[in-house]
Amino acid sequence: MLTKRRIYEFDDFRVDTGQFLLSKSGHAEPITPTVFKILQTLLEQAGDVVTKEDLMKSVWPDSFVEEGNLNRNVSTLRKALAEKPSDHRYIETIPKTGYRFVAPVRVIEYSPPAGILRGASNRCSHRIVGRETEQQRLREAYDQA
């Protein structure tokens, strides 16, 4: 399933879903793909409660995972966000239910920089000089195929 590339910004953090990158003040914060997916899922539903079941389906769609694994990864995410267990500046725990991303989030739809070519041109920008015999063989092989 392809999703649009988005940039999420909150406080000094920036999350680029296309590059799977979490950065703080322009410096990359190393996190695992699993922790990144949890963060992305919470950001996609910022302000709403995301149940533990929904998080586990999103992060581990084809696996059975114990709830303790989710809890450990959320704890790792909180550390990456420099959030203390009692802070809840970013992630609020909803007891026996799930989690909610509570910080104000700015969402930016990604668009590639202007002037970048997208896709190959069908036109040949130069002519091949010489090698007529080889070119003829290639044409014949192509026609035969």
Side-chain angles (χ1 to χ4, degrees):
M1 178 173 83
L2 292 176
T3 58
K4 278 190 154 184
R5 180 175 176 182
R6 288 196 171 102
I7 310 294
Y8 296 93
E9 295 179 333
F10 55 95
D11 286 349
D12 295 335
F13 290 97
R14 181 179 175 99
V15 176
D16 184 335
T17 63
Q19 295 187 346
F20 304 100
L21 181 67
L22 167 67
S23 57
K24 180 178 182 183
S25 302
H27 296 21
E29 296 287 324
I31 59 174
T32 66
T34 300
V35 172
F36 185 88
K37 183 66 178 164
I38 291 170
L39 175 59
Q40 181 178 355
T41 302
L42 290 172
L43 287 170
E44 288 170 350
Q45 300 178 53
D48 295 333
V49 175
V50 181
T51 66
K52 292 178 181 183
E53 292 80 21
D54 287 345
L55 266 173
M56 289 190 286
K57 285 178 190 173
S58 174
V59 177
W60 299 282
D62 299 324
S63 305
F64 175 78
V65 178
E66 293 184 6
E67 190 176 308
N69 199 1
L70 174 64
N71 296 339
R72 280 188 296 280
N73 280 287
V74 169
S75 176
T76 301
L77 174 57
R78 284 185 164 136
K79 287 177 187 172
L81 298 175
E83 181 178 80
K84 295 176 184 158
S86 59
D87 269 356
H88 303 294
R89 288 185 300 159
Y90 304 112
I91 302 170
E92 177 185 18
T93 301
I94 310 301
K96 299 185 181 189
T97 305
Y99 301 94
R100 174 178 25 226
F101 197 88
V102 294
V105 178
R106 182 173 162 221
V107 182
I108 304 165
E109 294 295 332
Y110 177 80
S111 59
I116 302 278
L117 291 177
R118 299 181 76 185
S121 173
N122 289 336
R123 297 183 316 159
C124 183
S125 61
H126 61 281
R127 295 193 44 82
I128 298 174
V129 178
R131 300 204 178 256
E132 287 79 15
T133 304
E134 291 86 352
Q135 289 179 3
Q136 184 59 34
R137 285 186 192 154
L138 284 172
R139 277 191 217 101
E140 291 170 1
Y142 178 78
D143 291 340
Q144 193 174 31

